[in-house]
């Protein structure tokens, strides 16, 4: 049995964390330890995998309930909610051992109690119990695990004849989602593929890899774009906060502003205010047809906390001669 993984501890949370707490912790940690941002760091790579595994369980209401109830035994066969309804009788029905559809698992405190009681109980075998090979069924339900840029966990599809499609989640930074390009990913079965990723990928988008699924079926990469610390995508526009000095706010002039393409030159109009938005046309997010939105720069006047003696002298002179009185119109 695999060592118990404390998923709450991995995400830095307690067991009473809300869904929003879980989502925020995952996004923060996933970006911090993402392999693209920590190239060559094996520790960060393993940490990223653990974070994805923890989020996959705790973000799913059903899985989390099982995990909270049964702890280290939560993923044992027989404790899964679907077990009683989807699994058929197998060898156990022939030797007198109860099968999952005959057991009410809610009566047991944990998996160990179930085992203890099982060893002391026997059910009468059905006289007409079919042979195992005659009743074997294969569930079409598939499960996927989080993956990273450079590594993609293929869907765990049950063995079956014929082609079967599979799905895997691919977590990527906003910069990679925006630029696209060739990327090497590693599948769970050990295969390594080079994929040409399109520009302008968004969360929820699926990319089809023909013939890379189970038995020659297709593999679908389900994209999840990590939130960025600075840029925020709103539709096809990109929004960011642009800090400027008080002098730049008053005088305006030529400055440089950050975009997903890098720094660009722009002209700041004089007299801008905090919260005001300026638009850079054609510098937003790229769409599937090659068009681009705009970049919106939200102004924030950044007042210095510490100034030099020379700056203080100039500010004092300005204070004596300035004509603007922002509180003159206040009615109190």
């Amino acid at each position: 049995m695999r060592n118990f993984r404390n998923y709450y501890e991995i995400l830095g949370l307690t067991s009473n964390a809300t869904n929003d707490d879980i989502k925020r912790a995952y996004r923060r940690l996933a970006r911090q330890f993402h392999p693209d941002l920590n190239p060559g760091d094996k520790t960060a790579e393993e940490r990223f995998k653990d974070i994805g595994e923890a989020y996959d369980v705790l973000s799913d209401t059903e899985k989390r309930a099982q995990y909270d109830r049964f702890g280290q035994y939560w993923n044992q066969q027989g404790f899964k909610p679907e077990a009683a309804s989807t699994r058929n009788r197998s060898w156990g029905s022939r030797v007198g051992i109860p099968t999952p559809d005959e057991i009410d698992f809610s009566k047991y405190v944990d998996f160990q109690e179930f085992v203890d009681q099982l060893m002391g109980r026997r059910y009468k075998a059905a006289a007409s119990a079919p042979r195992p090979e005659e009743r074997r069924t294969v569930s079409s339900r598939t499960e996927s695990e989080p993956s990273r840029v450079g590594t993609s966990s293929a869907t765990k599809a049950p063995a079956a004849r014929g082609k079967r499609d599979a799905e895997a989640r691919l977590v990527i930074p906003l910069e990679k989602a925006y630029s696209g390009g060739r990327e090497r990913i590693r599948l769970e079965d050990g295969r390594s593929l080079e994929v040409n990723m399109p520009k302008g990928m968004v969360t929820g988008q699926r990319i089809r890899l023909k013939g890379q699924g189970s038995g020659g079926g297709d593999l679908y990469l389900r994209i999840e774009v990590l939130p960025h610390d600075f840029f925020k995508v709103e539709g096809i526009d990109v929004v960011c906060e642009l800090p400027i000095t008080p002098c730049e706010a008053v005088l305006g002039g030529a400055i440089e502003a950050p975009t997903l393409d890098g720094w660009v030159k722009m002209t700041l109009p004089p007299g801008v205010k905090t919260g005001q938005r300026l638009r850079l046309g054609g510098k937003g997010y790229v769409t599937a047809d090659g068009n681009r939105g705009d970049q919106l720069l939200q102004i924030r006047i950044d007042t210095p906390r510490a100034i030099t003696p020379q700056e203080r002298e100039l500010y004092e002179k300005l204070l004596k001669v300035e004509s603007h009185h922002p509180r003159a119109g206040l009615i109190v």
Side-chain angles (χ1 to χ4, degrees):
M1 182 184 296
R2 186 179 184 183
N3 291 338
F4 177 59
R5 317 297 302 279
N6 189 328
Y7 294 139
Y8 291 106
E9 185 176 293
I10 289 172
L11 295 181
L13 301 170
T14 59
S15 58
N16 60 354
T18 66
N19 290 336
D20 287 340
D21 293 335
I22 293 169
K23 185 178 295 185
R24 281 193 296 268
Y26 166 69
R27 288 178 173 176
R28 175 176 54 81
L29 292 172
R31 181 162 189 84
Q32 179 181 349
F33 293 99
H34 199 286
D36 267 12
L37 305 179
N38 301 273
D41 188 338
K42 294 298 182 181
T43 301
E45 180 178 335
E46 290 304 315
R47 185 86 167 88
F48 181 77
K49 291 179 182 178
D50 291 344
I51 292 164
E53 180 181 329
Y55 178 73
D56 185 58
V57 173
L58 298 184
S59 63
D60 186 299
T61 304
E62 189 175 278
K63 290 181 181 178
R64 182 181 179 183
Q66 293 295 107
Y67 176 80
D68 288 343
R69 183 174 184 185
F70 298 111
Q72 68 187 94
Y73 303 109
W74 81 275
N75 205 25
Q76 291 291 311
Q77 288 188 351
F79 280 82
K80 292 182 179 180
E82 69 270 18
S85 61
T86 61
R87 297 180 60 188
N88 292 303
R89 295 171 181 255
S90 58
W91 65 271
S93 62
R94 300 182 63 199
V95 299
I97 298 177
T99 53
D101 56 331
E102 298 175 302
I103 302 171
D104 180 7
F105 291 102
S106 64
K107 298 188 301 181
Y108 303 105
V109 175
D110 56 27
F111 185 69
Q112 189 60 51
E113 182 180 325
F114 161 65
V115 173
D116 292 342
Q117 190 166 352
L118 175 65
M119 298 307 294
R121 297 176 59 185
R122 292 295 182 267
Y123 282 73
K124 184 177 180 180
S128 60
R131 297 172 61 185
E133 58 271 20
E134 295 173 339
R135 292 292 303 273
R136 182 181 302 168
T137 60
V138 179
S139 172
S140 61
R141 183 176 182 269
T142 58
E143 298 178 359
S144 59
E145 296 181 351
S147 57
R148 63 174 177 85
V149 172
T151 297
S152 173
S153 297
T155 303
K156 295 180 178 178
R161 294 180 179 179
K163 297 181 178 181
R164 302 201 65 168
D165 292 342
E167 184 177 273
R169 184 171 62 186
L170 187 63
V171 182
I172 55 177
L174 176 62
E175 298 91 335
K176 187 63 185 179
Y178 167 75
S179 62
R182 303 201 71 82
E183 188 71 28
R184 181 163 292 278
I185 63 174
R186 189 175 67 249
L187 303 181
E188 189 182 51
D189 57 12
R191 289 178 297 150
S192 182
L193 301 175
E194 190 171 85
V195 182
N196 190 22
M197 313 291 280
K199 292 183 177 181
M201 291 177 284
V202 295
T203 294
Q205 180 178 345
R206 297 206 309 168
I207 298 176
R208 178 189 178 198
L209 302 183
K210 188 175 181 180
Q212 300 300 330
S214 177
D218 297 335
L219 173 64
Y220 291 88
L221 298 180
R222 179 164 46 87
I223 301 299
E224 181 176 331
V225 182
L226 287 171
H228 196 276
D229 292 334
F230 185 72
F231 296 109
K232 180 181 179 182
V233 179
E234 294 184 356
I236 61 173
D237 293 332
V238 176
V239 180
C240 70
E241 191 177 63
L242 182 65
I244 61 174
T245 69
C247 291
E248 289 173 329
V250 173
L251 301 176
I255 64 170
E256 288 190 335
T259 72
L260 285 172
D261 294 320
W263 292 86
V264 298
K265 294 181 178 180
M266 63 168 291
T267 300
L268 186 70
V272 293
K273 300 178 180 179
T274 292
Q276 182 177 343
R277 283 190 173 187
L278 304 178
R279 185 180 298 271
L280 292 178
K283 291 296 182 181
Y285 211 64
V286 64
T287 61
D289 56 8
N291 294 323
R292 292 191 62 174
D294 300 332
Q295 175 148 330
L296 304 178
L297 303 171
Q298 186 161 311
I299 298 298
R300 174 171 61 84
I301 300 176
D302 192 354
T303 304
R305 292 179 178 272
I307 56 177
T308 66
Q310 183 179 9
E311 288 174 326
R312 174 172 293 279
E313 182 181 352
L314 292 174
Y315 273 117
E316 288 173 349
K317 289 181 179 180
L318 177 61
L319 184 61
K320 293 178 180 179
V321 299
E322 68 179 354
S323 58
H324 180 56
H325 301 289
R327 296 177 298 279
L330 294 181
I331 300 176
V332 293

